[in-house]
Amino acid sequence: MADAGPRAARAVTVGAWRFELTDDGDLAHVLLDGVEVLRGVQFVVRDDAWGTIRGDRDLRIESPGLDDGDGLVAVLRSVHRFPDGVLRASARLTVASDRIRYEVEATAEGTVVTNRVGFVVLHPLSLAGAEVELKHGEGRVSHDRFPADVAPHQPWVGITGLSVAAPGSGRVLSIDLEGDLFETEDQRNWSDASFKTYSRPLALPFPYTLGDGESVRQAVEVSAAPGLASDPVGEAEERRGVLIDRSVVHPRPRLGIQLGPDDLALERPALVEAVRRLGVDHVRVDVVCDADGVRGAEGLAAVADLPLELAVHLGPDPSTGDGGLPALARLLSQRTGPLRSVLLFDHAAPVTAPDAVSKLRSALGALLDETVVAVGTDDNLAELSRGRPRLAGADEVTFSLNPQVHDSSDRAVIETVEAVPAMIRTASALGAGRAVGIGALTLRPRRSIYRQGVVVDRLGRDSGSIDARQPSDFAAAWLTATLATLVTSGVARVTALELTGPRGVLDADGHLTAAGEVLAAVCSSDGVGIPSVDLSHDIVVLPLSRERANLSRERANEAAHALVADLSGRARRVELDGLTVALTPYQARLVELP
């Protein structure tokens, strides 16, 4: 589903508007009077599995006015190729001092099978809980609020516009939507830091077909009504110093690594040595259990004497005769390493089946005496919140987290940390206060789960699961910010990345990647101080302690190291408790505190 790669952008200032305009014609971070009022406006084309077809795009500026405030006119032409046809689009963007208008016409040549063609409007999370006025297709007006916690389903459907008070301003921002009925979803379900208003209601069948010559015509117009005068908010000042709060140290979450398909090719001694070098608390192994037995058992043998997190994907009738669960019990009884946790999923359904925990406990018996049993989903929070698994007999709830379901640009990936606190809060509520664990934290989705009629291979990985940035400093900065945010959100357990291969924390020579160094540094600590994740200044600081925390102020002062990472993508110097730390773009460094 994710958009491809980072995209170049130019800064546009017209009157009180300021935003970034990418070479692909996307508007990002739309500011009014210096305050973000829209996260973005995009023209999107999806395939029949919700994948993005960005196509060949050509953006031409007809009336520049980029810096002198005189206005902007730009034309975007694009060609999007499908297996049996082509979609050609022409869009026109007009920016004046009082409004932004974006209109598009897209016409099919041949047959285009798609899930969506049209505009999406992204709203920032600063609007969570804010009042909104909605215009509906039949002319009715209603009032509501943006969701505070993550909404599992669309809060609004059948709308043609919405108005909201611009944060920090006396103005009212109005968004008019033309050409279709629109609806809004809470993108925090997929870790995006936004609410999304989009067209073609999901209640209609999808995928759908645009025949030869059929067109889609839409427009989005954003205007700001005059209001109370307010001083524009200037550019964020460079932060001169970061003060670390050492008033308390918390025990860190349990941290693990996932055993991926590439890891099974390792010789067992090399695998065990790599795991021990990382210092993780557990290794996750996935198995599928059904009436035919256990698939993936070779992973259990590879880590027989290591602490295990076992992800069990139940298929049909796993507990009958000598089927999967009885066979799994025999395999686990032969292990010498501890069984830390069991994540219980359904092989074909989005969430754990209602009777799964009772079947598991009946089959494994005393093997689970000191084991955490988690229910939920191996996919996104959306599946957990919509499926609401039964909790009886479970100790934790779990879901997986990745930052690229919708947008792969560097900035969008980093900004997903804004969504994490509400995601964990929502999962905890769904679990009736039970602890929350992240079953798999990955840079890319491991597999496509939204293509209709396809059974997901729970032991495999899609080709789209590979991100070229995995071994880079960027992945380390994202991981540092995400772990710091998860710490402050109170998660109990995180299983991050894989050991080797293109999704791994070890390179081809066996050296830790930058993200691997981050994971090893956090694993080597017993406690964590109060992190600082500051997107306004693009810096994250995660204090680490090598002493077991007792939550006292005296012991808190033993947090003598910190992970510090740049989130801006530019070289800089940061003052950290009086210590000057030089950072290259997206670098994450472990520093000793004065």
Side-chain angles (χ1 to χ4, degrees), residues 391-455:
L391 301 172
D395 306 302
E396 284 186 9
V397 292
T398 186
F399 66 96
S400 294
L401 183 65
N402 82 83
Q404 296 190 63
V405 174
H406 293 115
D407 195 336
S408 294
S409 63
D410 287 357
R411 190 63 194 171
V413 169
I414 293 295
E415 286 173 343
T416 57
V417 299
E418 292 181 320
V420 167
M423 297 174 75
I424 302 304
R425 188 170 64 245
T426 300
S428 179
L430 291 169
R434 286 170 173 77
V436 177
I438 300 301
L441 173 63
T442 55
L443 184 57
R444 289 277 296 173
R446 291 165 293 161
R447 55 188 75 95
S448 174
I449 65 170
Y450 296 117
R451 187 181 295 276
Q452 292 187 323
V454 176
V455 177

Short mmCIF file of all heavy atoms in Angstrom, two decimals, residues 391-455:
data_model
loop_
_atom_site.label_atom_id
_atom_site.label_comp_id
_atom_site.label_asym_id
_atom_site.label_seq_id
_atom_site.Cartn_x
_atom_site.Cartn_y
_atom_site.Cartn_z
N LEU A 391 -10.76 -12.35 25.29
CA LEU A 391 -9.62 -12.14 26.19
C LEU A 391 -9.47 -13.23 27.24
O LEU A 391 -8.43 -13.30 27.90
CB LEU A 391 -9.76 -10.78 26.89
CG LEU A 391 -9.82 -9.56 25.97
CD1 LEU A 391 -10.16 -8.32 26.78
CD2 LEU A 391 -8.51 -9.37 25.22
N ALA A 392 -10.47 -14.06 27.43
CA ALA A 392 -10.44 -15.06 28.50
C ALA A 392 -9.21 -15.94 28.38
O ALA A 392 -8.94 -16.52 27.33
CB ALA A 392 -11.70 -15.91 28.46
N GLY A 393 -8.43 -16.02 29.47
CA GLY A 393 -7.24 -16.86 29.50
C GLY A 393 -6.00 -16.20 28.96
O GLY A 393 -4.92 -16.79 28.99
N ALA A 394 -6.11 -14.96 28.46
CA ALA A 394 -4.95 -14.26 27.88
C ALA A 394 -4.34 -13.30 28.89
O ALA A 394 -5.04 -12.70 29.71
CB ALA A 394 -5.37 -13.50 26.62
N ASP A 395 -3.01 -13.15 28.80
CA ASP A 395 -2.28 -12.24 29.68
C ASP A 395 -2.00 -10.90 29.02
O ASP A 395 -1.87 -9.88 29.71
CB ASP A 395 -0.94 -12.86 30.10
CG ASP A 395 -1.11 -14.24 30.71
OD1 ASP A 395 -1.84 -14.34 31.72
OD2 ASP A 395 -0.53 -15.20 30.17
N GLU A 396 -1.88 -10.88 27.70
CA GLU A 396 -1.54 -9.67 26.96
C GLU A 396 -2.37 -9.59 25.69
O GLU A 396 -2.92 -10.60 25.23
CB GLU A 396 -0.05 -9.66 26.55
CG GLU A 396 0.93 -9.35 27.65
CD GLU A 396 2.36 -9.23 27.11
OE1 GLU A 396 2.56 -9.22 25.87
OE2 GLU A 396 3.26 -9.18 27.95
N VAL A 397 -2.42 -8.38 25.13
CA VAL A 397 -2.92 -8.20 23.77
C VAL A 397 -1.74 -7.76 22.91
O VAL A 397 -0.80 -7.12 23.40
CB VAL A 397 -4.06 -7.17 23.69
CG1 VAL A 397 -5.30 -7.70 24.38
CG2 VAL A 397 -3.63 -5.84 24.29
N THR A 398 -1.78 -8.09 21.64
CA THR A 398 -0.64 -7.82 20.77
C THR A 398 -1.10 -7.43 19.38
O THR A 398 -2.17 -7.87 18.92
CB THR A 398 0.29 -9.04 20.70
OG1 THR A 398 1.48 -8.71 19.96
CG2 THR A 398 -0.39 -10.22 20.04
N PHE A 399 -0.31 -6.59 18.72
CA PHE A 399 -0.47 -6.30 17.30
C PHE A 399 0.90 -5.97 16.75
O PHE A 399 1.88 -5.86 17.50
CB PHE A 399 -1.47 -5.15 17.06
CG PHE A 399 -1.03 -3.81 17.58
CD1 PHE A 399 -0.42 -2.88 16.74
CD2 PHE A 399 -1.25 -3.46 18.91
CE1 PHE A 399 -0.02 -1.63 17.22
CE2 PHE A 399 -0.86 -2.21 19.39
CZ PHE A 399 -0.24 -1.30 18.54
N SER A 400 1.01 -5.85 15.44
CA SER A 400 2.28 -5.53 14.79
C SER A 400 2.28 -4.09 14.30
O SER A 400 1.23 -3.50 14.08
CB SER A 400 2.56 -6.51 13.65
OG SER A 400 2.77 -7.81 14.15
N LEU A 401 3.48 -3.57 14.12
CA LEU A 401 3.64 -2.14 13.84
C LEU A 401 4.67 -1.95 12.74
O LEU A 401 5.78 -2.51 12.81
CB LEU A 401 4.07 -1.43 15.13
CG LEU A 401 4.23 0.08 15.12
CD1 LEU A 401 2.89 0.76 14.87
CD2 LEU A 401 4.81 0.55 16.45
N ASN A 402 4.30 -1.19 11.72
CA ASN A 402 5.28 -0.74 10.72
C ASN A 402 4.85 0.63 10.24
O ASN A 402 3.67 0.97 10.29
CB ASN A 402 5.40 -1.74 9.57
CG ASN A 402 4.32 -1.57 8.53
OD1 ASN A 402 4.43 -0.72 7.63
ND2 ASN A 402 3.24 -2.35 8.63
N PRO A 403 5.79 1.47 9.76
CA PRO A 403 5.45 2.85 9.43
C PRO A 403 5.15 3.11 7.96
O PRO A 403 5.15 4.28 7.54
CB PRO A 403 6.74 3.58 9.84
CG PRO A 403 7.82 2.61 9.48
CD PRO A 403 7.25 1.24 9.73
N GLN A 404 4.90 2.05 7.15
CA GLN A 404 4.82 2.28 5.71
C GLN A 404 3.61 1.63 5.06
O GLN A 404 3.70 1.18 3.92
CB GLN A 404 6.10 1.77 5.04
CG GLN A 404 7.35 2.52 5.47
CD GLN A 404 8.53 2.16 4.60
OE1 GLN A 404 8.53 2.41 3.39
NE2 GLN A 404 9.56 1.57 5.21
N VAL A 405 2.50 1.59 5.73
CA VAL A 405 1.32 1.05 5.07
C VAL A 405 0.88 1.98 3.93
O VAL A 405 0.46 1.53 2.86
CB VAL A 405 0.18 0.86 6.08
CG1 VAL A 405 -1.11 0.45 5.38
CG2 VAL A 405 0.57 -0.20 7.11
N HIS A 406 0.99 3.30 4.14
CA HIS A 406 0.48 4.26 3.15
C HIS A 406 1.55 5.13 2.51
O HIS A 406 1.41 5.53 1.36
CB HIS A 406 -0.56 5.18 3.80
CG HIS A 406 -1.81 4.48 4.20
ND1 HIS A 406 -2.22 4.36 5.50
CD2 HIS A 406 -2.76 3.87 3.45
CE1 HIS A 406 -3.35 3.69 5.55
NE2 HIS A 406 -3.71 3.38 4.33
N ASP A 407 2.60 5.47 3.22
CA ASP A 407 3.55 6.47 2.72
C ASP A 407 4.96 6.09 3.16
O ASP A 407 5.22 5.88 4.35
CB ASP A 407 3.18 7.86 3.26
CG ASP A 407 3.89 8.99 2.52
OD1 ASP A 407 4.96 8.74 1.93
OD2 ASP A 407 3.38 10.13 2.53
N SER A 408 5.87 6.00 2.18
CA SER A 408 7.24 5.58 2.46
C SER A 408 8.24 6.74 2.52
O SER A 408 9.43 6.51 2.70
CB SER A 408 7.73 4.59 1.40
OG SER A 408 7.01 3.40 1.47
N SER A 409 7.78 7.97 2.35
CA SER A 409 8.71 9.09 2.38
C SER A 409 9.36 9.18 3.75
O SER A 409 8.78 8.82 4.77
CB SER A 409 7.98 10.40 2.05
OG SER A 409 7.01 10.69 3.02
N ASP A 410 10.59 9.67 3.78
CA ASP A 410 11.35 9.74 5.03
C ASP A 410 10.56 10.43 6.13
O ASP A 410 10.47 9.94 7.26
CB ASP A 410 12.67 10.50 4.81
CG ASP A 410 13.69 9.69 4.03
OD1 ASP A 410 13.40 8.52 3.70
OD2 ASP A 410 14.78 10.23 3.74
N ARG A 411 9.98 11.59 5.80
CA ARG A 411 9.31 12.37 6.84
C ARG A 411 8.07 11.65 7.37
O ARG A 411 7.82 11.63 8.57
CB ARG A 411 8.91 13.75 6.29
CG ARG A 411 8.42 14.71 7.37
CD ARG A 411 9.53 14.99 8.36
NE ARG A 411 9.05 15.63 9.57
CZ ARG A 411 9.81 15.82 10.65
NH1 ARG A 411 11.06 15.42 10.65
NH2 ARG A 411 9.33 16.40 11.72
N ALA A 412 7.30 11.05 6.47
CA ALA A 412 6.09 10.35 6.91
C ALA A 412 6.44 9.17 7.81
O ALA A 412 5.73 8.89 8.79
CB ALA A 412 5.30 9.88 5.69
N VAL A 413 7.53 8.47 7.50
CA VAL A 413 7.95 7.35 8.34
C VAL A 413 8.32 7.83 9.74
O VAL A 413 7.89 7.24 10.75
CB VAL A 413 9.13 6.61 7.67
CG1 VAL A 413 9.77 5.61 8.64
CG2 VAL A 413 8.66 5.89 6.41
N ILE A 414 9.09 8.89 9.83
CA ILE A 414 9.48 9.42 11.14
C ILE A 414 8.25 9.90 11.91
O ILE A 414 8.12 9.67 13.12
CB ILE A 414 10.48 10.57 10.98
CG1 ILE A 414 11.81 10.06 10.40
CG2 ILE A 414 10.71 11.29 12.30
CD1 ILE A 414 12.57 9.11 11.30
N GLU A 415 7.32 10.53 11.22
CA GLU A 415 6.16 11.11 11.91
C GLU A 415 5.19 10.08 12.46
O GLU A 415 4.32 10.43 13.27
CB GLU A 415 5.41 12.05 10.95
CG GLU A 415 6.15 13.35 10.71
CD GLU A 415 5.52 14.21 9.63
OE1 GLU A 415 4.70 13.67 8.84
OE2 GLU A 415 5.84 15.41 9.57
N THR A 416 5.33 8.81 12.07
CA THR A 416 4.43 7.81 12.62
C THR A 416 4.53 7.70 14.13
O THR A 416 3.60 7.20 14.78
CB THR A 416 4.68 6.42 12.00
OG1 THR A 416 6.04 6.04 12.21
CG2 THR A 416 4.37 6.44 10.51
N VAL A 417 5.63 8.15 14.72
CA VAL A 417 5.74 8.08 16.18
C VAL A 417 4.66 8.93 16.86
O VAL A 417 4.31 8.68 18.01
CB VAL A 417 7.14 8.49 16.68
CG1 VAL A 417 8.21 7.56 16.11
CG2 VAL A 417 7.46 9.95 16.34
N GLU A 418 4.11 9.92 16.14
CA GLU A 418 3.04 10.73 16.71
C GLU A 418 1.78 9.90 16.97
O GLU A 418 1.00 10.21 17.88
CB GLU A 418 2.67 11.88 15.76
CG GLU A 418 3.75 12.93 15.59
CD GLU A 418 3.30 14.05 14.66
OE1 GLU A 418 2.64 13.75 13.64
OE2 GLU A 418 3.61 15.22 14.96
N ALA A 419 1.59 8.85 16.19
CA ALA A 419 0.38 8.03 16.32
C ALA A 419 0.50 6.97 17.40
O ALA A 419 -0.51 6.46 17.88
CB ALA A 419 0.06 7.36 14.98
N VAL A 420 1.72 6.62 17.79
CA VAL A 420 1.93 5.46 18.65
C VAL A 420 1.25 5.57 20.01
O VAL A 420 0.61 4.61 20.46
CB VAL A 420 3.44 5.18 18.79
CG1 VAL A 420 3.73 4.18 19.91
CG2 VAL A 420 4.00 4.65 17.46
N PRO A 421 1.33 6.70 20.75
CA PRO A 421 0.70 6.72 22.07
C PRO A 421 -0.79 6.40 22.04
O PRO A 421 -1.28 5.62 22.87
CB PRO A 421 0.96 8.15 22.55
CG PRO A 421 2.22 8.56 21.85
CD PRO A 421 2.11 7.93 20.50
N ALA A 422 -1.53 6.97 21.09
CA ALA A 422 -2.96 6.67 21.00
C ALA A 422 -3.19 5.22 20.60
O ALA A 422 -4.17 4.59 21.04
CB ALA A 422 -3.63 7.61 20.00
N MET A 423 -2.32 4.65 19.79
CA MET A 423 -2.45 3.26 19.39
C MET A 423 -2.31 2.33 20.60
O MET A 423 -3.11 1.40 20.79
CB MET A 423 -1.40 2.91 18.33
CG MET A 423 -1.52 3.67 17.03
SD MET A 423 -0.16 3.34 15.89
CE MET A 423 -0.59 1.70 15.31
N ILE A 424 -1.31 2.59 21.44
CA ILE A 424 -1.10 1.74 22.61
C ILE A 424 -2.24 1.95 23.61
O ILE A 424 -2.74 0.98 24.21
CB ILE A 424 0.25 2.05 23.26
CG1 ILE A 424 1.40 1.84 22.24
CG2 ILE A 424 0.47 1.19 24.49
CD1 ILE A 424 1.45 0.47 21.63
N ARG A 425 -2.67 3.17 23.77
CA ARG A 425 -3.80 3.45 24.68
C ARG A 425 -5.06 2.72 24.22
O ARG A 425 -5.79 2.13 25.03
CB ARG A 425 -4.03 4.95 24.74
CG ARG A 425 -5.03 5.41 25.77
CD ARG A 425 -5.03 6.93 25.92
NE ARG A 425 -5.46 7.61 24.71
CZ ARG A 425 -4.67 8.40 23.99
NH1 ARG A 425 -3.41 8.60 24.33
NH2 ARG A 425 -5.14 9.00 22.90
N THR A 426 -5.29 2.72 22.92
CA THR A 426 -6.46 2.04 22.38
C THR A 426 -6.35 0.53 22.55
O THR A 426 -7.32 -0.15 22.92
CB THR A 426 -6.63 2.40 20.89
OG1 THR A 426 -6.79 3.82 20.77
CG2 THR A 426 -7.83 1.70 20.28
N ALA A 427 -5.18 -0.04 22.27
CA ALA A 427 -4.98 -1.48 22.44
C ALA A 427 -5.16 -1.89 23.89
O ALA A 427 -5.75 -2.95 24.17
CB ALA A 427 -3.60 -1.88 21.94
N SER A 428 -4.68 -1.08 24.80
CA SER A 428 -4.84 -1.39 26.22
C SER A 428 -6.32 -1.41 26.60
O SER A 428 -6.77 -2.28 27.36
CB SER A 428 -4.08 -0.38 27.08
OG SER A 428 -4.23 -0.65 28.45
N ALA A 429 -7.08 -0.46 26.08
CA ALA A 429 -8.52 -0.43 26.36
C ALA A 429 -9.21 -1.66 25.78
O ALA A 429 -10.08 -2.27 26.41
CB ALA A 429 -9.14 0.84 25.81
N LEU A 430 -8.81 -2.07 24.56
CA LEU A 430 -9.38 -3.27 23.95
C LEU A 430 -9.05 -4.51 24.76
O LEU A 430 -9.80 -5.48 24.78
CB LEU A 430 -8.87 -3.43 22.52
CG LEU A 430 -9.37 -2.39 21.50
CD1 LEU A 430 -8.59 -2.51 20.20
CD2 LEU A 430 -10.86 -2.58 21.23
N GLY A 431 -7.90 -4.48 25.44
CA GLY A 431 -7.50 -5.60 26.28
C GLY A 431 -7.95 -5.49 27.70
O GLY A 431 -7.46 -6.23 28.56
N ALA A 432 -8.89 -4.58 27.99
CA ALA A 432 -9.42 -4.40 29.34
C ALA A 432 -8.30 -4.18 30.36
O ALA A 432 -8.32 -4.71 31.46
CB ALA A 432 -10.28 -5.60 29.74
N GLY A 433 -7.31 -3.37 29.95
CA GLY A 433 -6.22 -3.02 30.85
C GLY A 433 -5.05 -3.97 30.84
O GLY A 433 -4.06 -3.74 31.55
N ARG A 434 -5.11 -5.04 30.07
CA ARG A 434 -3.98 -5.97 29.98
C ARG A 434 -2.77 -5.28 29.35
O ARG A 434 -2.90 -4.30 28.63
CB ARG A 434 -4.37 -7.20 29.15
CG ARG A 434 -5.29 -8.17 29.87
CD ARG A 434 -5.80 -9.22 28.91
NE ARG A 434 -6.56 -10.27 29.59
CZ ARG A 434 -7.81 -10.13 30.00
NH1 ARG A 434 -8.44 -8.97 29.81
NH2 ARG A 434 -8.44 -11.13 30.60
N ALA A 435 -1.60 -5.82 29.61
CA ALA A 435 -0.38 -5.30 29.01
C ALA A 435 -0.47 -5.43 27.48
O ALA A 435 -1.15 -6.31 26.94
CB ALA A 435 0.83 -6.06 29.54
N VAL A 436 0.25 -4.54 26.80
CA VAL A 436 0.27 -4.51 25.33
C VAL A 436 1.67 -4.87 24.85
O VAL A 436 2.66 -4.34 25.36
CB VAL A 436 -0.13 -3.13 24.80
CG1 VAL A 436 -0.04 -3.10 23.27
CG2 VAL A 436 -1.54 -2.76 25.25
N GLY A 437 1.75 -5.77 23.90
CA GLY A 437 3.02 -6.12 23.29
C GLY A 437 3.00 -5.87 21.79
O GLY A 437 1.95 -5.99 21.15
N ILE A 438 4.14 -5.49 21.25
CA ILE A 438 4.29 -5.32 19.80
C ILE A 438 4.91 -6.60 19.26
O ILE A 438 6.09 -6.89 19.49
CB ILE A 438 5.16 -4.10 19.46
CG1 ILE A 438 4.54 -2.83 20.03
CG2 ILE A 438 5.33 -3.98 17.94
CD1 ILE A 438 3.14 -2.52 19.53
N GLY A 439 4.09 -7.40 18.56
CA GLY A 439 4.54 -8.71 18.11
C GLY A 439 5.62 -8.65 17.05
O GLY A 439 6.48 -9.52 16.99
N ALA A 440 5.57 -7.63 16.19
CA ALA A 440 6.60 -7.47 15.16
C ALA A 440 6.69 -5.98 14.81
O ALA A 440 5.71 -5.40 14.36
CB ALA A 440 6.28 -8.29 13.93
N LEU A 441 7.84 -5.40 15.05
CA LEU A 441 8.13 -4.02 14.66
C LEU A 441 9.08 -4.09 13.47
O LEU A 441 10.22 -4.56 13.60
CB LEU A 441 8.78 -3.26 15.82
CG LEU A 441 9.29 -1.85 15.52
CD1 LEU A 441 8.14 -0.92 15.13
CD2 LEU A 441 10.04 -1.29 16.73
N THR A 442 8.60 -3.66 12.30
CA THR A 442 9.40 -3.76 11.09
C THR A 442 9.34 -2.45 10.31
O THR A 442 8.39 -1.68 10.44
CB THR A 442 8.88 -4.90 10.19
OG1 THR A 442 7.48 -4.70 9.91
CG2 THR A 442 9.07 -6.25 10.87
N LEU A 443 10.37 -2.22 9.49
CA LEU A 443 10.41 -0.99 8.72
C LEU A 443 9.43 -1.01 7.56
O LEU A 443 8.87 0.03 7.19
CB LEU A 443 11.84 -0.75 8.21
CG LEU A 443 12.11 0.54 7.44
CD1 LEU A 443 11.74 1.77 8.27
CD2 LEU A 443 13.57 0.61 7.01
N ARG A 444 9.20 -2.17 6.98
CA ARG A 444 8.22 -2.34 5.92
C ARG A 444 7.21 -3.39 6.35
O ARG A 444 7.51 -4.26 7.17
CB ARG A 444 8.89 -2.81 4.62
CG ARG A 444 9.75 -1.76 3.93
CD ARG A 444 8.93 -0.84 3.08
NE ARG A 444 8.28 -1.54 1.97
CZ ARG A 444 7.40 -0.98 1.15
NH1 ARG A 444 7.04 0.28 1.33
NH2 ARG A 444 6.85 -1.67 0.18
N PRO A 445 5.99 -3.39 5.78
CA PRO A 445 5.07 -4.50 6.04
C PRO A 445 5.70 -5.82 5.58
O PRO A 445 6.32 -5.88 4.51
CB PRO A 445 3.84 -4.15 5.19
CG PRO A 445 3.94 -2.67 4.94
CD PRO A 445 5.40 -2.36 4.89
N ARG A 446 5.55 -6.87 6.37
CA ARG A 446 6.13 -8.16 6.00
C ARG A 446 5.40 -8.81 4.84
O ARG A 446 5.97 -9.60 4.09
CB ARG A 446 6.11 -9.10 7.22
CG ARG A 446 7.07 -8.69 8.34
CD ARG A 446 6.74 -9.41 9.62
NE ARG A 446 5.44 -8.96 10.13
CZ ARG A 446 4.72 -9.64 11.01
NH1 ARG A 446 5.15 -10.79 11.46
NH2 ARG A 446 3.56 -9.16 11.43
N ARG A 447 4.12 -8.48 4.70
CA ARG A 447 3.32 -9.15 3.67
C ARG A 447 2.10 -8.29 3.35
O ARG A 447 1.67 -7.48 4.17
CB ARG A 447 2.88 -10.52 4.15
CG ARG A 447 2.14 -10.48 5.47
CD ARG A 447 1.87 -11.86 6.01
NE ARG A 447 3.07 -12.47 6.56
CZ ARG A 447 3.39 -12.43 7.86
NH1 ARG A 447 2.63 -11.76 8.72
NH2 ARG A 447 4.46 -13.02 8.31
N SER A 448 1.55 -8.48 2.17
CA SER A 448 0.31 -7.81 1.78
C SER A 448 -0.86 -8.63 2.31
O SER A 448 -0.96 -9.83 2.05
CB SER A 448 0.22 -7.68 0.26
OG SER A 448 -1.03 -7.16 -0.12
N ILE A 449 -1.75 -7.97 3.06
CA ILE A 449 -2.88 -8.70 3.65
C ILE A 449 -4.22 -8.23 3.11
O ILE A 449 -5.26 -8.77 3.53
CB ILE A 449 -2.87 -8.54 5.19
CG1 ILE A 449 -3.10 -7.07 5.58
CG2 ILE A 449 -1.58 -9.07 5.78
CD1 ILE A 449 -3.35 -6.88 7.06
N TYR A 450 -4.23 -7.27 2.19
CA TYR A 450 -5.49 -6.68 1.78
C TYR A 450 -5.92 -7.05 0.36
O TYR A 450 -6.87 -6.49 -0.17
CB TYR A 450 -5.43 -5.16 1.92
CG TYR A 450 -5.26 -4.71 3.36
CD1 TYR A 450 -4.13 -4.03 3.77
CD2 TYR A 450 -6.24 -5.00 4.31
CE1 TYR A 450 -3.98 -3.62 5.09
CE2 TYR A 450 -6.09 -4.61 5.63
CZ TYR A 450 -4.96 -3.92 6.01
OH TYR A 450 -4.81 -3.53 7.33
N ARG A 451 -5.23 -7.99 -0.26
CA ARG A 451 -5.67 -8.46 -1.58
C ARG A 451 -6.76 -9.50 -1.37
O ARG A 451 -6.54 -10.53 -0.73
CB ARG A 451 -4.51 -9.04 -2.37
CG ARG A 451 -4.88 -9.39 -3.82
CD ARG A 451 -3.70 -9.99 -4.55
NE ARG A 451 -2.61 -9.04 -4.69
CZ ARG A 451 -2.52 -8.13 -5.65
NH1 ARG A 451 -3.49 -8.03 -6.55
NH2 ARG A 451 -1.49 -7.31 -5.71
N GLN A 452 -7.94 -9.24 -1.91
CA GLN A 452 -9.08 -10.10 -1.66
C GLN A 452 -8.88 -11.48 -2.29
O GLN A 452 -8.34 -11.62 -3.37
CB GLN A 452 -10.35 -9.45 -2.19
CG GLN A 452 -10.77 -8.21 -1.41
CD GLN A 452 -12.11 -7.68 -1.84
OE1 GLN A 452 -12.45 -7.72 -3.01
NE2 GLN A 452 -12.90 -7.20 -0.89
N GLY A 453 -9.34 -12.51 -1.55
CA GLY A 453 -9.33 -13.86 -2.07
C GLY A 453 -7.99 -14.56 -1.97
O GLY A 453 -7.85 -15.68 -2.47
N VAL A 454 -6.98 -13.94 -1.34
CA VAL A 454 -5.66 -14.55 -1.22
C VAL A 454 -5.40 -14.91 0.24
O VAL A 454 -5.54 -14.08 1.13
CB VAL A 454 -4.56 -13.58 -1.71
CG1 VAL A 454 -3.18 -14.18 -1.49
CG2 VAL A 454 -4.77 -13.25 -3.19
N VAL A 455 -5.03 -16.17 0.50
CA VAL A 455 -4.67 -16.61 1.84
C VAL A 455 -3.23 -16.21 2.12
O VAL A 455 -2.32 -16.51 1.34
CB VAL A 455 -4.84 -18.13 1.99
CG1 VAL A 455 -4.40 -18.59 3.38
CG2 VAL A 455 -6.29 -18.54 1.74
#
